[in-house]
Amino acid sequence: MTQELAPTLRDQSAAPSAGWWRDAVIYQVYVRSFADSDGDGIGDLRGVRERLPHLADLGVDAVWLTPFYASPQADGGYDVADYRSVDPLFGELSDADDLVREAHRLGLRVIVDIVPNHTSDQHAWFRAAVDGGPDAPERALYHFRPGRGPDGDLPPNDWESVFGGPAWTRTDAGDWYLHLFAPEQPDLNWEHPAVREEFESILRFWLDLGVDGFRIDVAHGMVKAEGLPDIGLREQAKMIGAQVLPFFDQDGVHEIHRSWRLLLDSYEGQRIGVAEAWAPTSERLALYVRPDELHQAFNFQFLTCAWDAAAMRQVIDSSLAATASVGAPTTWVLSNHDVVRHTTRYGGGAQGLRRARAAALLTLALPGSAYLYQGEELGLPEVADLPDGVRQDPAFFRGDGQDGLRDGCRVPIPWSGTAAPYGFGPGASWLPQPAAWAGLSVEAQTGDPRSMLELYRSALALRKELSGLGDGGMEWLPAPEGVLVFSRPGVVCTLNTLAEEVELPVPGRPVLSSGALEFGGGAVRLPGETCVWWAV
Ligand code: GLC
Ligand code: MG
């Protein structure tokens, strides 16, 4: 693409449109595992910039970059020590600037992660809070409390860390501080005006640099219930997303998102906020995307849905109904850096791959926006057998919270060649890549019409061509049990979730299929676990 022909983003947003995010396909780059430019084995911003043509060619609309800020990396960068600087592992500020500019030149928008629930324990505020002793004014920026019991040696309440163990750590001064995640991630006190002011200033910093929006980490967590009440139950990590907890999905968080929306809207070019929010129902999740709040929220109900037609239909209906009730688009997500890759969740091996191919066509045919996680376009499986010595997920070392196995979806992706690191960078990658990944590289799959990569490329190209896809409505059509059939303007999508083939009347002209079709007598034999798009 020459510079003259490249679409410019400002032109697109100037066109009459309901909002670019409403049907955007957004690709999640887990920066440390995408591409390494300097050979330290860790992906970096320059690496991302050099590989942007892959994303433009894939056909996505935007890129979401996981945190690349100054951080001791106690939780893969979700422990931020300085929100306005780039960690030397990932480059420098000018690299972020170059990356945003190059992405825009290629017609890609850029969303960055913002981590407002907690800072790193190396953040200047927390250092001052601890080093300054009990009277340090910075203590008010976090949640410091005296312990319980006669000697104060019991935590202030019974809250558990998402990563396992108590959500409190005792200081040398004898009191305790709250951390819903690792001890290196102290929770901020959002009742304090300085916290609110600081984050508005941080948002402005990145908006001024030109980013198109923010993925808001733990967007459901900033506000805690008054008095930090006990929960009275163990295994609280398992309740996240299943019920409102005194530390998650409190109504008070919405006021923060409302103020951020005002700030986003004060910038030209449709800057967006997307919530990582775990809410117990689609209805509660929809509260985050009311017209004066954020633009999108990840739809984890869909991610966690079983491979079952009735269950999928129910989740699709409730997601669409809930977001429609507030006028927001739905998002569809199958994988991210916190969950087992979906080819593996769907059964692994040939079956997992077949289902993942079908699921890709399903999600890209549904109304709304879709998020892709790096490597799903290659059909990468979870890497289950990483040696303990290379693992870095903090939950792995704490036990009994989350399963602690989030490294298996974070293995650096294969680009080319027949041996590790498969073009990831000049040196060995921070997590070892399986030998079997030679056949899964971008290079190996390019041009092979049966490959996952070419399926995604075709689907994303067609999604742009067929105007009925993307934002808008859908209608369910009659279908046998185990099969989903729905129509969008000009398109019908058929998904057979069963293992065995089914016969259906031909609904139109097949334009894309995740498996081979056989026709005869006005009917089509839809193989098991296959999805097809038909033009009508
Ligand atoms: C979010 C991130 C996850 C991180 C956690 C704490 O859930 O996606 O990776 O560990 O927040 O910041
Ligand atoms: Mg590097």
Side-chain angles (χ1 to χ4, degrees):
M1 213 187 277
T2 68
Q3 188 131 13
E4 293 77 36
L5 290 176
T8 76
L9 291 165
R10 300 304 158 216
D11 289 347
Q12 279 171 19
S13 59
S17 115
W20 67 270
W21 69 90
R22 294 191 62 93
D23 59 4
V25 177
I26 303 177
Y27 183 100
Q28 177 186 359
V29 170
Y30 191 71
V31 177
R32 61 164 48 226
S33 302
F34 190 68
D36 173 24
S37 71
D38 60 4
D40 65 356
I42 297 180
D44 43 51
L45 294 179
R46 241 187 108 148
V48 179
R49 174 161 59 83
E50 287 166 0
R51 293 293 189 181
L52 284 176
H54 167 68
L55 301 179
D57 181 51
L58 183 61
V60 300
D61 303 299
V63 177
W64 149 32
L65 303 168
T66 52
F68 49 78
Y69 316 108
S71 160
Q73 306 290 319
D75 181 23
Y78 284 95
D79 49 318
V80 182
D82 180 352
Y83 291 84
R84 294 181 188 79
S85 74
V86 171
D87 196 280
L89 271 182
F90 303 120
E92 37 188 286
L93 197 55
S94 63
D95 293 312
D97 201 71
D98 290 348
L99 169 49
V100 169
R101 241 141 290 283
E102 179 63 3
H104 286 173
R105 198 183 67 78
L106 293 170
L108 298 165
R109 293 179 194 260
V110 179
I111 291 172
V112 295
D113 230 302
I114 185 90
V115 188
N117 180 68
H118 42 265
T119 67
S120 160
D121 63 348
Q122 299 307 311
H123 189 280
W125 278 0
F126 193 74
R127 289 316 331 147
V130 170
D131 298 344
D135 296 327
E138 287 81 3
R139 290 206 162 204
L141 302 168
Y142 295 88
H143 299 277
F144 283 84
R145 292 285 185 284
R148 293 203 278 205
D151 304 316
D153 54 3
L154 296 172
N157 71 15
D158 70 355
W159 295 1
E160 294 166 1
S161 151
V162 174
F163 294 157
W168 297 89
T169 289
R170 200 166 193 192
T171 70
D172 290 342
D175 59 351
W176 301 69
Y177 68 88
L178 177 69
H179 53 86
L180 294 179
F181 295 88
E184 296 88 353
Q185 294 166 297
D187 278 53
L188 284 164
N189 172 17
W190 275 82
E191 305 302 329
H192 199 299
V195 172
R196 295 181 184 233
E197 275 160 33
E198 173 66 356
F199 271 87
E200 295 214 346
S201 153
I202 295 164
L203 293 180
R204 285 185 191 284
F205 179 86
W206 291 102
L207 290 167
D208 290 340
L209 186 131
V211 306
D212 299 284
F214 300 95
R215 177 265 188 190
I216 302 162
D217 188 64
V218 197
H220 54 309
M222 286 103 99
V223 172
K224 278 71 179 176
E226 179 86 49
L228 313 184
D230 278 337
I231 293 175
L233 296 166
R234 298 293 322 267
E235 303 208 33
Q236 293 158 14
K238 298 205 175 107
M239 301 169 200
I240 299 167
Q243 64 187 77
V244 177
L245 292 165
F247 52 75
F248 276 164
D249 199 28
Q250 290 288 310
D251 291 334
V253 293
H254 295 289
E255 191 214 316
I256 299 168
H257 299 315
R258 246 174 244 129
S259 70
W260 286 15
R261 176 61 179 258
L262 285 175
L263 198 154
L264 290 166
D265 284 350
S266 73
Y267 279 77
E268 61 159 22
Q270 299 190 330
R271 319 292 177 104
I272 70 162
V274 49
E276 186 223 10
W278 291 85
T281 60
S282 300
E283 288 71 29
R284 279 200 73 84
L285 187 63
L287 299 178
Y288 290 81
V289 289
R290 285 177 285 190
D292 60 346
E293 290 197 38
L294 301 172
H295 299 76
Q296 295 184 329
F298 295 118
N299 183 354
F300 293 126
Q301 313 264 351
F302 185 69
L303 185 153
T304 52
C305 181
W307 184 263
D308 173 89
M312 287 169 159
R313 182 171 167 159
Q314 196 269 319
V315 168
I316 292 167
D317 280 340
S318 70
S319 310
L320 290 172
T323 46
S325 73
V326 293
T330 306
T331 63
W332 309 103
V333 191
L334 293 170
S335 277
N336 64 35
H337 65 294
D338 292 328
V339 299
V340 172
R341 282 190 177 273
H342 61 271
T343 47
T344 301
R345 288 203 322 264
Y346 286 151
Q351 181 186 56
L353 210 54
R354 213 163 42 235
R355 289 179 171 183
R357 290 172 64 86
L361 295 198
L362 169 67
T363 53
L364 292 172
L366 289 169
S369 165
Y371 277 81
L372 311 182
Y373 176 50
Q374 67 178 40
E376 77 170 72
E377 81 278 24
L378 305 175
L380 295 188
E382 183 80 1
V383 180
D385 52 1
L386 287 170
D388 288 1
V390 302
R391 289 188 181 277
Q392 301 212 5
D393 182 357
F396 179 75
F397 304 98
R398 289 175 65 82
D400 72 65
Q402 274 184 347
D403 59 16
L405 300 176
R406 295 181 302 168
D407 292 309
C409 63
R410 299 175 178 179
V411 174
I413 62 174
W415 291 94
S416 58
T418 51
Y422 305 114
F424 168 68
S429 57
W430 68 283
L431 287 173
Q433 300 153 303
W437 281 17
L440 295 177
S441 72
V442 172
E443 183 183 58
Q445 296 196 39
T446 295
D448 174 355
R450 292 154 313 166
S451 72
M452 186 67 116
L453 179 56
E454 294 300 345
L455 182 74
Y456 270 83
R457 284 186 177 142
S458 303
L460 291 166
L462 274 170
R463 203 178 135 99
K464 292 210 169 83
E465 241 167 72
L466 303 168
S467 58
L469 297 181
D471 199 16
M474 68 172 275
E475 198 186 325
W476 293 110
L477 301 176
E481 207 176 311
V483 178
L484 296 177
V485 180
F486 60 90
S487 72
R488 313 274 334 259
V491 183
V492 164
C493 178
T494 54
L495 168 69
N496 176 14
T497 65
L498 306 173
E500 58 276 8
E501 67 171 28
V502 294
E503 208 174 78
L504 295 175
V506 175
R509 181 172 58 85
V511 288
L512 190 60
S513 173
S514 69
L517 303 177
E518 275 182 56
F519 293 89
V524 55
R525 297 227 295 275
L526 195 56
E529 301 171 331
T530 298
C531 187
V532 188
W533 292 359
W534 309 84
V536 292

